[in-house]
Amino acid sequence: MNSEISTQRSTPLGELTLRLSSTPRGARLARRMTAQQLDAWGYPHDGDANDTAQHVVAELAANAVTHGRVPGRDFELRLLLLAEGTLRVEVSDTRGDRRLRIVTDPEAEGGRGLVLVAVLARTWGVDERDVGKTVWAELPLRARGDSATVPSRVR
């Protein structure tokens, strides 16, 4: 896990915050809403940036509903489009007593989701909250060699 936390935050160009049920359906909806929102911000469904964001949201949302679930409590998805061509993804759950684990045993059935997040994200980490935790990741949105950091369709 990258424990480096950016202390300087940019003013977001766009933001989406959703509270979703802590169920597999809520996790699927988080991924779909991410795809839709990035498309609205100018990163099309079939593009690499949108696909990468969907994968990261899917992993973090699945972890929130599988390991961070407290019955009767929702999880929160927050997407922040930052000026420097970065998407910040935050998934918050209400269970603070379970720490994140990265499973490295090749025989284990699961536990590789955070490895995927670490590979896809520029940086990621965990913020403790009064109730629960927020797992966040920052993703580069522009392709290598692309000089435009923000698409013209940002609303």
Side-chain angles (χ1 to χ4, degrees), residues 3 16 32 34 44 72 84 112 114 129-130 140 147 154-155:
S3 61
L16 172 72
R32 287 184 180 162
T34 297
E84 59 272 7
R112 291 178 190 81
L114 291 177
R129 301 169 10 140
D130 289 337
S147 62
V154 172
R155 294 179 228 175

Side-chain angles (χ1 to χ4, degrees), residues 35 38-39 42-51 153:
L38 261 69
D39 185 64
Y43 299 95
H45 284 273
D46 60 351
D48 289 341
N50 195 310
D51 187 56
R153 287 180 38 200

Side-chain angles (χ1 to χ4, degrees), residues 86-97:
T86 299
L87 176 69
R88 183 174 173 97
V89 174
E90 298 178 353
V91 175
S92 302
D93 64 52
T94 54
R95 189 153 195 178
D97 62 332

